[in-house]
Amino acid sequence: MPCFQAFFLEGPQGKGQRFCIFHPAQGVTRGRVLHIHPFAEEMNKSRQMSALQARKLAQAGFAVLQIDLFGCGDSSGDFGDASWQDWLDDVALGAAWLSQQGSEPLWLWGHRLGCLLACEAAPSLNEACHFLFWQAPSTGRVLLQQFLRLKVASGMLEGGPNTISTDALKAELLAGGSVEIAGYRLSSALAAGMEKATLSPPALASAQAWAPVACWFEVSSQALPEPSPAISAAIQRWEAAGIAVRYQSIPGPQFWQTAEIELAPALLESSCSALRDAAPSSPASVARLDLEHQP
C-alpha cells in the first residue's frame, strides 16, 4: 500500500488544476497539516526536505497535504501569470480539502514566503488553525528585494553598461509590467502582494476548543540563542494576540538556497517533536489517545 497519494484538485475560478500529494496519518490522527511551499527556485531546492518532513509527520499521526500553488511545480498555469490572490485561493483550496478528511486541528506549515501566505489566508478559512513556520521572513518586501537583487547581480556579472537597480525594477513592476529573473517571470500582481505582506498575527476564529500555537523555527550554521530583532518583535506581536509561540533556532544548512541539495535533519526531528508535543489538541483526539493507551 503506498504511503502517499498523488492527485489533482480542480483550481478556483476555472484556473486549471493543482497538483497535490497527500500523506495519510499513520495510527491515531493527531492533526491535519497543509504545506505551503516557498518562492520560485527555493521551492525546488526544498523539495526533498518538505517530502521527508511530510513523511515523518505522517508517521507521527499527522495527515499532510502538499499542494503546488498556481504556476508552480506540476500545477496548471504559468508562474508569470500568478497573482498573490491566486496563491491565497490555493491555500484556501487545500485547507477546504483537508477539512473533508477529518476534524482534528489544522496546521498551516509555511516555509519562507509560505509563512506570509499562511498568515494572510488563515482568517478566511472556515476553522481556526495552528502554525508551523520554517524561516519566516518579517515581510514580503524583504523577499522581493532579495529576488530583485538576483537580476541586478546578473547584470553586473554580464558587465553591461547600463546596470539596472532594484528601484528601477520595482518601478517597472508598479507600472504593471513584469520582470524576468533567474528563469522566472515575476508579474506586477504577485510583486504587489509580496510588497504588502507582513508576518502579522491573524485574527483567528474565537470559537475553538484549543489555543492556537505557532511553532517557529530558524536554521543557521549554528544555533542562535536569540531571534533577530525583527523576528523577536514579530513574536511579541503574536504572543500579544493570544497565540503561543514556541521559537527554536536549529543548526544546519539553509537548504532552500544552497548550490547543491542539502538536508537539515535536526529541523525535521525538531518540527516533528514540536507538533507532537502540541497534540493531542482536540477533545476527539484526546479521547482516542486515552482509549489507545488503556491497559
Side-chain angles (χ1 to χ4, degrees), residues 4 15 17-18 30 74 94 99 136 145 192-193 205 227 244 255 264 289:
F4 65 88
K15 288 195 171 184
Q17 297 179 316
R18 304 294 175 269
R30 295 171 176 267
D74 292 312
S99 71
Q145 192 77 359
F255 54 87
L289 286 172

Side-chain angles (χ1 to χ4, degrees), residues 35-38 46 109-115 134-135 255-256:
H35 177 241
I36 311 171
H37 61 69
S46 306
W109 163 25
H111 182 195
R112 298 276 283 165
L113 186 74
C115 301
W134 278 8
Q135 212 74 18
F255 54 87
W256 57 91

